[in-house]
Amino acid sequence: MPSKRYEKSPSVQTPVSSKQKDSLKTPTEALRRKRFCTDIPCCILFLVFIAAFVVLSVFAFKEGDPRQLLYPTDSFGNLCGTGEHVERPYIYFFDWTKCIKSFNVPANILNGRPFVCPTTQVCVQKCPTKTSYYKFETYTANRVCKYDVDPSEVDYDILVQEGRCASYVIDSKPLFGRCVPRQLESLANSIIEVPDGTGNYSTVFDSNGQPLNGSKLEQGVKYLVELLDVKQISAMLVEDFTTSWKYILIAFAIAAVVSFVWIVLMRWFAKPLVWLGIILFIVLLAVISALSFLEFSELRTKNDNQILTEFKFVTDANYYKSLPITWLVIAILSTILLVISILIFFVLFKRLRIALAILQEASIAVSYNFFSLLWPFIPFILHIGVFAYWAIVTVYLATAGKPIYRIALNDTENSADARYGDICNPKEFDYLNEANATCVFWEYGYDPKVDLDSVLNGTGQHFKSFISFVNQNQWLPQVFSAFMFFWLTAFVVGLSELVLAGVYARYYWDKRGLGAPCVSLGQSLFRALVFHLGTLAFGSLIIAIVKLIRALLEYVESKVKEKTGRCSRCVFCCCRCCLFCLEKFLKFLNRNAYILTAIYGKGFFTSARHAFAIIISNPIRLLVIDKVCDFLIFLGKICITGGIGVLVFFFFTHRIAQAEKYVPELHYYFIPLLLIIIGTYIIATCFFSVYSMAVDTIMICALEDINLKKKNENHKLMMSKGLRSVFRMKKQN
């Protein structure tokens, strides 16, 4: 009887090589097989960088103080309104006229260092309400002095000479925590004279003994005076927002409902809705052009046929509405866009048939996986979380440090003192022998010239080595923070794409094994986070590096822009353009690589190479049809955004008679209108991003299906009848 030793056991498979395994795996088999972790080194690197970012965050939270951005700082590094100065929320400048010369410091003296206003700044309980001079009897009741001056000290000649008290006080009002002179316009070009306590009016002099006038004060506070109008406008904008926030939320709800209904209707009316979107887009541009030309004609008639009489930059939007040139520019731009859109439709009309078939199939896939419409809100929340955390860390990082004091010169016009802006120590500075210089607080930070031992004072000792490193490389934390922001945002985008690609790839290749829609979405999310975290980290790392290079290039360009010629600016422009195109291509490649990762479960390099091969083998078909689909989806978003925008415009401008009594009274109706338009577009983008990913996934799957058919005649096409028709694939027996 023959031995059974060489008989083949049914439970034992013939061993095959890895290449043979790959060739035997169809997309359906790949989707069903057990997954393994991909790009593990990149996953580890990603986690290490996150840990480093957390360490940097801990340092920023410990050393930073955002109150520096909210409260003013006196000349001694104290925050007004906090700590021992909690009852002194405002800051007063001893002599505003000294700040005038600081704005005109010669470049050879400044030498790239920041200018410092040399006047003393102290925290006060309230801003002075009367103007007085230290030689007047009314000075005592309004005097402003340093903190070490006792109320019983009244020898003002000595106090003013030593710089311990202000030589004059000016009637002021608080502005962003600063006491600024009141009614500057009425004081302009006039010598300031006030009652001196004896019944007479006497002239007020500055610290240099010169008569004080409104022009000097205005020049000294010019950077704050410009904020007066901004503050008033900001108050009106906040008031408009608080009045209209309910209407904004209602508009957002309507936008969400319309976007949701639009996506659902695409299931049965994909082609009609696409054509409706095209027609509405053209009609919308035509209406905007017609209304703009009509408004331009009416305004030109009112202005005696003059198109532009006078133009100036103002903050009132109604001024621009009254200019004929405004409506002429809008009319010309909308007309040009209308003509370009019509030409594009005529040129790409033949490609619309394939694009519409892809859209039809994508709409079926989206409706089959109904829960995928809710998925975009998760990455949207993640984006908000990443941005919020990065913004908080950046603020704390920007305010990390200890007080830095610099030398300020009282007279920069008649001095060649090159110490201006140098680091100084207020405790060791010789104020008596330095008649032309003052040691004043400038900022919080870690300057290389600052002795860390003298400023740490026993605090943050366990961070001393880290602080020393930051002190020598101050640019590094901010660059690293920006890099992590780019990496994390690209990672969230990749996660969203990979999860949706997994859902729609399974729909295309394995409808029977798809299961419940919510289960399919959960399985895809589980695979992305457990098995393909390294692939996501790899793809997002490449995008982050390109973005960081672009950001650094733009920063360098902004720094040397005024010192370079046309040739250099042209080189910078070309580099920015090349990096922009590279980033767009890499995002396109990453998107397709994630789709193939979702199908086959391979690493980033393998998937990217596979995706690139598909792109190269079908360049016209893929790129053109993909962009046509994206454009048609974009039209849907524009129609929803434009429709709601026009409706809201008619509502806030009292052009809907039935809703007249519900319209709120606003200073600037364009603020809620702009917020609603931006919010509506974001909401529509969230919903249509699902649709866009379905289109791209089905397109890649269809091209892969065709390639497999070309390689193997026995391969069974998985595409629907509609896709077979547009791709001209023969019906299988």
Side-chain angles (χ1 to χ4, degrees):
M1 187 173 178
S3 174
K4 297 183 180 180
R5 180 179 177 181
Y6 299 100
E7 289 186 4
K8 186 176 179 181
S9 174
S11 60
V12 179
Q13 297 180 355
T14 303
V16 292
S17 65
S18 59
K19 292 184 178 181
Q20 289 175 326
K21 283 184 178 181
D22 291 340
S23 63
L24 292 174
K25 291 172 184 173
T26 64
T28 304
E29 294 171 348
L31 286 166
R32 292 179 179 178
R33 73 179 177 88
K34 183 180 178 181
R35 294 287 173 106
F36 299 94
C37 295
T38 56
D39 299 310
I40 296 177
C42 286
C43 180
I44 297 175
L45 181 66
F46 182 61
L47 296 178
V48 169
F49 269 68
I50 289 180
F53 191 44
V54 171
V55 172
L56 181 64
S57 304
V58 172
F59 162 75
F61 294 149
K62 182 175 180 59
E63 297 294 322
D65 188 0
R67 295 180 302 174
Q68 300 171 21
L69 304 177
L70 302 176
Y71 300 96
T73 308
D74 65 9
S75 297
F76 314 102
N78 302 308
L79 293 175
C80 300
T82 64
E84 60 181 15
H85 300 288
V86 66
E87 296 182 355
R88 299 182 176 187
Y90 308 111
I91 193 170
Y92 185 82
F93 289 69
F94 272 23
D95 187 3
W96 281 106
T97 62
K98 286 189 176 182
C99 299
I100 300 175
K101 297 174 183 178
S102 295
F103 290 110
N104 302 307
V105 179
N108 62 327
I109 295 179
L110 192 59
N111 195 24
R113 292 166 294 192
F115 77 84
V116 183
C117 183
T119 190
T120 303
Q121 305 164 34
V122 296
C123 302
V124 295
Q125 191 172 11
K126 61 179 181 179
C127 296
T129 56
K130 292 184 179 180
T131 302
S132 184
Y133 187 51
Y134 79 95
K135 293 184 177 181
F136 297 168
E137 294 182 3
T138 57
Y139 178 78
T140 303
N142 299 281
R143 74 176 189 177
V144 177
C145 299
K146 292 183 178 180
Y147 311 124
D148 60 346
V149 177
D150 191 89
S152 60
E153 297 184 58
V154 292
D155 192 348
Y156 296 125
D157 289 329
I158 296 178
L159 291 175
V160 171
Q161 184 179 2
E162 293 179 349
R164 299 172 64 194
C165 289
S167 61
Y168 67 91
V169 290
I170 196 77
D171 181 18
S172 306
K173 61 181 178 180
L175 173 64
F176 302 113
R178 279 80 174 171
C179 294
V180 298
R182 195 188 306 269
Q183 299 177 346
L184 284 174
E185 294 181 358
S186 62
L187 298 174
N189 299 320
S190 61
I191 301 297
I192 298 177
E193 296 182 346
V194 295
D196 57 6
T198 61
N200 300 320
Y201 280 81
S202 300
T203 301
V204 177
F205 297 87
D206 59 23
S207 58
N208 295 323
Q210 300 296 322
L212 188 66
N213 60 52
S215 298
K216 288 186 177 181
L217 289 176
E218 185 174 6
Q219 292 179 48
V221 298
K222 64 178 182 179
Y223 73 98
L224 287 177
V225 170
E226 294 175 354
L227 296 177
L228 287 171
D229 293 336
V230 176
K231 182 183 178 183
Q232 296 175 354
I233 296 172
S234 301
M236 293 181 182
L237 296 181
V238 172
E239 183 180 350
D240 288 344
F241 178 76
T242 54
T243 304
S244 60
W245 69 270
K246 294 181 180 178
Y247 301 93
I248 295 175
L249 292 181
I250 292 174
F252 287 168
I254 295 174
V257 172
V258 172
S259 300
F260 184 80
V261 172
W262 189 289
I263 293 295
V264 173
L265 291 178
M266 290 283 282
R267 166 67 176 83
W268 297 279
F269 308 104
K271 293 182 180 180
L273 282 177
V274 169
W275 286 115
L276 178 63
I278 295 173
I279 294 172
L280 287 178
F281 180 73
I282 294 177
V283 170
L284 183 64
L285 288 177
V287 169
I288 293 175
S289 301
L291 292 177
S292 300
F293 276 119
L294 181 61
E295 190 73 18
F296 163 72
S297 179
E298 293 178 355
L299 291 175
R300 187 180 63 173
T301 303
K302 293 180 181 179
N303 293 340
D304 298 329
N305 292 327
Q306 293 185 0
I307 298 178
L308 180 62
T309 55
E310 181 183 1
F311 183 82
K312 57 183 178 180
F313 291 100
V314 297
T315 55
D316 187 5
N318 294 321
Y319 167 76
Y320 298 105
K321 288 174 56 180
S322 63
L323 296 177
I325 188 65
T326 302
W327 297 101
L328 179 61
V329 171
I330 295 175
I332 293 175
L333 292 178
S334 57
T335 302
I336 293 174
L337 186 59
L338 174 63
V339 173
I340 293 175
S341 301
I342 294 175
L343 292 176
I344 290 175
F345 290 137
F346 277 116
V347 172
L348 300 179
F349 184 79
K350 293 182 179 179
R351 298 289 180 181
L352 286 176
R353 183 167 173 265
I354 300 178
L356 290 175
I358 296 291
L359 290 173
Q360 180 75 38
E361 190 69 21
S363 64
I364 298 174
V366 171
S367 62
Y368 193 87
N369 299 275
F370 203 74
F371 282 92
S372 61
L373 288 174
L374 304 177
W375 166 252
F377 291 103
I378 296 178
F380 182 69
I381 294 173
L382 290 177
H383 274 297
I384 294 177
V386 169
F387 176 78
Y389 185 79
W390 170 79
I392 293 172
V393 171
T394 301
V395 170
Y396 272 90
L397 200 59
T399 56
K402 301 298 178 181
I404 294 179
Y405 301 87
R406 296 185 185 273
I407 295 177
L409 304 181
N410 297 322
D411 186 4
T412 57
E413 295 179 354
N414 302 317
S415 174
D417 198 334
R419 297 176 303 159
Y420 188 92
D422 281 351
I423 299 294
C424 62
N425 190 336
K427 296 180 180 179
E428 301 175 357
F429 192 77
D430 189 357
Y431 291 93
L432 296 178
N433 297 325
E434 294 284 356
N436 188 44
T438 307
C439 185
V440 297
F441 168 79
W442 169 244
E443 63 184 352
Y444 286 91
Y446 298 107
D447 194 281
K449 296 182 180 180
V450 175
D451 182 13
L452 291 178
D453 292 326
S454 65
V455 298
L456 285 175
N457 297 324
T459 61
Q461 290 297 334
H462 55 290
F463 277 126
K464 188 171 182 180
S465 59
F466 184 72
I467 293 174
S468 300
F469 177 75
V470 173
N471 194 36
Q472 299 298 325
N473 305 275
Q474 298 182 28
W475 55 271
L476 190 58
Q478 293 291 355
V479 171
F480 180 76
S481 177
F483 174 72
M484 287 305 300
F485 173 71
F486 294 146
W487 197 353
L488 290 173
T489 51
F491 180 85
V492 173
V493 171
L495 175 64
S496 176
E497 293 176 346
L498 183 58
V499 170
L500 291 177
V503 173
Y504 298 124
R506 198 169 185 87
Y507 164 81
Y508 185 94
W509 297 105
D510 191 20
K511 293 185 180 68
R512 294 181 180 179
L514 190 62
C518 58
V519 175
S520 176
L521 183 63
Q523 289 177 344
S524 182
L525 178 60
F526 175 80
R527 286 185 171 187
L529 294 178
V530 175
F531 300 112
H532 304 308
L533 195 65
T535 300
L536 291 172
F538 200 165
S540 56
L541 173 62
I542 297 174
I543 301 298
I545 292 174
V546 176
K547 282 189 173 183
L548 181 64
I549 295 175
R550 283 187 61 194
L552 292 177
L553 181 66
E554 292 177 0
Y555 175 77
V556 172
E557 183 183 9
S558 65
K559 289 296 183 180
V560 301
K561 188 174 183 179
E562 297 180 355
K563 302 177 182 179
T564 55
R566 293 182 179 180
C567 183
S568 300
R569 287 195 292 268
C570 181
V571 172
F572 275 114
C573 183
C574 292
C575 291
R576 284 191 287 106
C577 181
C578 292
L579 288 173
F580 174 79
C581 295
L582 177 61
E583 181 183 342
K584 290 297 181 182
F585 174 75
L586 289 176
K587 286 182 177 179
F588 177 71
L589 183 63
N590 278 12
R591 189 179 179 93
N592 293 319
Y594 292 146
I595 294 173
L596 292 170
T597 297
I599 297 173
Y600 292 105
K602 299 296 182 63
F604 180 79
F605 262 139
T606 304
S607 299
R609 186 170 62 248
H610 193 167
F612 189 74
I614 293 177
I615 295 172
I616 293 299
S617 60
N618 303 273
I620 304 299
R621 177 183 288 176
L622 179 61
L623 295 178
V624 174
I625 295 177
D626 180 71
K627 294 310 172 185
V628 168
C629 290
D630 288 344
F631 183 66
L632 295 177
I633 293 173
F634 174 73
L635 287 184
K637 293 188 287 186
I638 290 297
C639 288
I640 295 173
T641 304
I644 292 180
V646 171
L647 180 64
V648 171
F649 173 77
F650 286 158
F651 174 77
F652 283 123
T653 54
H654 304 270
R655 299 188 183 186
I656 302 178
Q658 294 79 0
E660 182 71 26
K661 60 180 180 179
Y662 301 106
V663 180
E665 293 296 329
L666 303 173
H667 300 285
Y668 303 103
Y669 70 85
F670 69 87
I671 292 300
L673 176 62
L674 184 62
L675 290 176
I676 289 172
I677 291 176
I678 295 175
T680 300
Y681 185 79
I682 293 175
I683 292 172
T685 300
C686 287
F687 281 95
F688 278 92
S689 64
V690 177
Y691 203 82
S692 177
M693 197 63 205
V695 168
D696 291 344
T697 303
I698 291 175
M699 186 67 187
I700 291 294
C701 289
L703 294 177
E704 179 69 4
D705 205 4
I706 295 173
N707 289 338
L708 292 175
K709 183 65 176 177
K710 292 180 180 178
K711 294 178 182 179
N712 184 7
E713 290 294 333
N714 296 324
H715 172 73
K716 181 181 178 181
L717 289 174
M718 303 299 295
M719 63 178 60
S720 63
K721 295 180 180 180
L723 291 179
R724 290 177 191 171
S725 175
V726 295
F727 283 111
R728 299 178 181 178
M729 301 300 295
K730 294 181 180 180
K731 185 177 180 181
Q732 299 179 122
N733 296 329

